[in-house]
Amino acid sequence: MSFSDRIYRPLETLIRPLDIPYTPLPSRGPFALLVHFASMFRGVLAAVAILMIAIEGINLATIWGISFVVDGVTAKGAAAFLEEDWPTLAVLGVLIFPVLPLLIFLGNTLNSQTVAVCMPAAMQWQGHKAVERQDLAFFHDLFAGQVATRISQVASAVQQQIVVAFYQVPLFSVQFVGSLVLLGALSWPLALPVFVWIAANIALAATAVPHFSERSRKTARARSLVVGAMTDLYSNIQMVKLFAAEDSEAGAMRNIMENAIQTQQRERRIHLTTDTSVILINTVLTLAISTIGFWGLVGGFVTIGQFVASIAIVLRLNANSRAFLQMGQQIFQAVGTIRDAMPVVTTPPTIIDMPNARSLTVTAGEVKFRNVQFEYRQGQGVRPDFGSRSSLSRGIRALRDPIDPAGQFLRDWYSCSRPVEPGFLSKMKRDAAAMPAAVWHGILEGFAETDLRRTAMRVAAPVLCIGGSADPLFGSPHREALAQAFPSVRSITLEGYGHNPHWEDPQKVSALMLSFLAEAVMV
């Protein structure tokens, strides 16, 4: 075991996120979800909180020590001060080193290696176990990428909230309250500006921060839509290219991304406004402390050491006040994100096993399903006629990787009875051949398992159907079935045309469409 392993491994293995048993996630609200996950890490989180309190306590003690040393040396001289007060200086020295570095190392390591790594992993695993229990209907209204993004968003937002609760809240609480108490102990007039400053920051946070929740929820949704749409687009890129739909897909993606940009910009307006307000409040605090400090030095109720300590405290407060406000922003950002993404991981499954159901275990052989057909009612199946003897089914089932662009099926798929630009057809065939045979087989199965006849009967608008008489894949029975499916339809068969009349004679097809649309508008 290496030296690094000996130091870090004990802290990194305090929690094994993938070994935590799955329990259904609460759906009562974001804070119930936070409590659920925090309970998994309660020991580590309590240790982090205690370490942060101790670290900030030592920092305040160091500032007090500066005041103590300056006033002691000024009043007694360096030699006498060291002789009389060396025990206090020794305690301060031990606190500064090695106690403070050791506490910081332990706190940072627990936060970095356990909270920042193991906690999100545990949340993602629990979210995955929750989603995988859902039935297929759950995924119909969501992008696959959107589901994955929201699981990741929940893990990130919950981890962020828990870090705030157990890392930053103890730190800022001790810092603000401790600074106020320390200044009051040194010289109470110096504490008054800090008291007003804390009240002003709380008022600003109470006014501005709640607005982050709704804006952040919308931003989280917009981001998940972008990632989800892109993931699904790339997952189906072969279908997109097969039907030359790059432009339409790009238009949809552009709209989603434009909405995400505008949503994020509106959210950041609040951040900029509040950040400017914090800078103004900090400036007033610095001027107030400086004024009271010089007044106290002249009036004799503030010592040099107290003045130096007050300036050090103000500088630390100014440096951390923006972090305090950002903490509030993060809280409501995370709440908005969690609220938007919670349904993905907390919705209970609608299909569950019966009580005491036994697992389906196959120890040998294989399980096959044959002649399985789903029906809406007796005697009416959902499969259209794509029988195994049809040229379409035979052509697709015969495809094997790598698909030959010059093979019979693609020649039929792109058949044209009239001259079409050879380079264009060659490119289309190459793109289609790049799609794995398994995808073609899946498309055929999808067609075979889908019956849209009852849906077509509900289409009230007039429908135009154009086909070629020489189409080698879809013959007259298909055209007749399509014509009978719609209540109001005009079916046109172009004699001598193949599977792609719109490429063979675009002018003729355009004229037919324009004529049909003109008549439909008149009606």
Side-chain angles (χ1 to χ4, degrees):
M1 181 180 291
S2 67
F3 179 72
S4 176
D5 286 339
R6 292 181 183 276
I7 295 176
Y8 291 107
R9 182 62 65 185
L11 298 175
E12 293 171 343
T13 55
L14 285 174
I15 294 178
R16 299 183 182 274
L18 304 184
D19 295 336
I20 299 175
Y22 169 75
T23 54
L25 304 181
S27 58
R28 297 187 300 276
F31 292 103
L33 193 65
L34 287 172
V35 172
H36 175 82
F37 282 118
S39 64
M40 296 180 181
F41 292 77
R42 53 185 175 272
V44 172
L45 294 174
V48 169
I50 293 172
L51 287 169
M52 292 303 104
I53 292 172
I55 289 169
E56 188 54 32
I58 294 175
N59 287 332
L60 290 172
T62 302
I63 294 176
W64 173 84
I66 293 173
S67 172
F68 177 72
V69 170
V70 170
D71 286 343
V73 171
T74 302
K76 305 175 183 178
F81 174 73
L82 287 174
E83 183 178 354
E84 294 180 15
D85 297 298
W86 68 265
T88 304
L89 294 177
V91 172
L92 286 174
V94 171
L95 290 176
I96 294 172
F97 183 84
V99 174
L100 182 60
L102 179 60
L103 294 180
I104 292 175
F105 169 78
L106 291 174
N108 288 344
T109 303
L110 284 175
N111 185 53
S112 174
Q113 303 301 92
T114 304
V115 177
V117 176
C118 297
M119 184 181 294
M123 296 173 190
Q124 288 176 331
W125 181 249
Q126 297 283 315
H128 162 70
K129 300 301 290 184
V131 170
E132 74 172 2
R133 285 167 165 76
Q134 300 291 348
D135 58 89
L136 290 176
F138 175 82
F139 299 92
H140 285 173
D141 297 327
L142 292 169
F143 292 119
Q146 195 173 4
V147 173
T149 301
R150 288 185 172 179
I151 292 175
S152 178
Q153 284 179 333
V154 166
S156 175
V158 171
Q159 183 253 350
Q160 184 182 69
Q161 284 284 73
I162 291 176
V163 167
V164 166
F166 290 89
Y167 188 93
Q168 294 180 330
V169 167
L171 188 70
F172 286 125
S173 298
V174 174
Q175 182 178 118
F176 290 176
V177 176
S179 297
L180 185 63
V181 171
L182 179 58
L183 284 174
L186 293 174
S187 179
W188 68 264
L190 294 173
L192 290 178
V194 174
F195 178 80
V196 175
W197 176 87
I198 292 175
N201 274 280
I202 293 174
L204 176 63
T207 302
V209 167
H211 293 287
F212 296 138
S213 179
E214 181 62 21
R215 292 289 176 89
S216 298
R217 184 184 65 81
K218 293 179 179 179
T219 299
R221 177 176 296 176
R223 287 173 176 167
S224 70
L225 281 174
V226 170
V227 177
M230 293 180 71
T231 301
D232 277 36
L233 171 62
Y234 297 144
S235 299
N236 297 284
I237 192 65
Q238 292 161 328
M239 288 293 293
V240 172
K241 288 186 173 293
L242 176 64
F243 293 102
E246 291 93 338
D247 291 340
S248 62
E249 292 291 337
M253 180 62 67
R254 181 186 180 90
N255 292 335
I256 293 174
M257 296 187 72
E258 285 180 344
N259 176 67
I261 291 171
Q262 294 172 4
T263 303
Q264 292 179 64
Q265 288 175 336
R266 286 192 291 268
E267 180 191 25
R268 290 180 178 275
R269 291 175 187 174
I270 302 177
H271 296 184
L272 292 172
T273 302
T274 51
D275 192 55
T276 302
S277 301
V278 168
I279 293 173
L280 293 175
I281 294 173
N282 289 344
T283 302
V284 172
L285 174 65
T286 302
L287 292 175
I289 287 289
S290 300
T291 301
I292 293 175
F294 280 113
W295 176 40
L297 288 173
V298 174
F301 59 85
V302 173
T303 66
I304 296 176
Q306 293 169 349
F307 179 69
V308 170
S310 67
I311 294 299
I313 289 174
V314 167
L315 292 177
R316 292 189 77 239
L317 292 177
N318 285 348
N320 292 324
S321 61
R322 295 171 73 180
F324 171 72
L325 185 63
Q326 289 171 359
M327 180 187 72
Q329 294 172 356
Q330 291 170 1
I331 289 174
F332 282 89
Q333 283 177 341
V335 168
T337 300
I338 295 169
R339 184 176 288 117
D340 178 64
M342 271 187 68
V344 172
V345 296
T346 61
T347 300
T350 56
I351 299 177
I352 59 176
D353 292 334
M354 293 180 61
N356 302 319
R358 292 182 298 175
S359 300
L360 177 62
T361 304
V362 180
T363 58
E366 59 184 348
V367 177
K368 289 185 177 181
F369 296 91
R370 295 176 177 171
N371 300 321
V372 176
Q373 178 171 319
F374 297 93
E375 294 188 357
Y376 289 115
R377 61 177 181 265
Q378 187 65 30
Q380 181 172 344
V382 300
R383 288 179 181 265
D385 181 18
F386 286 106
S388 60
R389 291 181 294 178
S390 71
S391 58
L392 177 69
S393 294
R394 291 198 308 270
I396 293 179
R397 294 186 187 282
L399 293 176
R400 297 291 184 272
D401 294 323
I403 297 175
D404 181 8
Q408 183 61 46
F409 171 72
L410 290 183
R411 289 203 304 271
D412 291 343
W413 188 262
Y414 293 105
S415 67
C416 298
S417 61
R418 285 163 173 74
V420 176
E421 171 60 35
F424 169 75
L425 286 180
S426 296
K427 179 182 182 302
M428 297 301 294
K429 290 178 182 179
R430 288 196 303 272
D431 285 347
M435 188 163 63
V439 176
W440 282 101
H441 299 161
I443 294 172
L444 177 63
E445 293 298 325
F447 284 156
E449 294 175 1
T450 304
D451 188 350
L452 298 176
R453 285 175 292 182
R454 287 187 295 174
T455 302
M457 291 299 296
R458 296 197 295 268
V459 177
V463 176
L464 173 64
C465 297
I466 301 176
S469 64
D471 188 336
L473 298 176
F474 296 92
S476 58
H478 288 94
R479 292 193 295 273
E480 292 171 4
L482 190 61
Q484 294 172 4
F486 296 98
S488 176
V489 64
R490 176 190 291 181
S491 181
I492 299 175
T493 300
L494 300 179
E495 292 297 328
Y497 286 73
H499 185 55
N500 302 283
H502 54 295
W503 292 343
E504 300 171 42
D505 196 341
Q507 290 79 11
K508 185 179 185 68
V509 173
S510 298
L512 291 172
M513 294 174 64
L514 290 173
S515 174
F516 170 77
L517 292 173
E519 293 179 11
V521 171
M522 290 177 63
V523 172

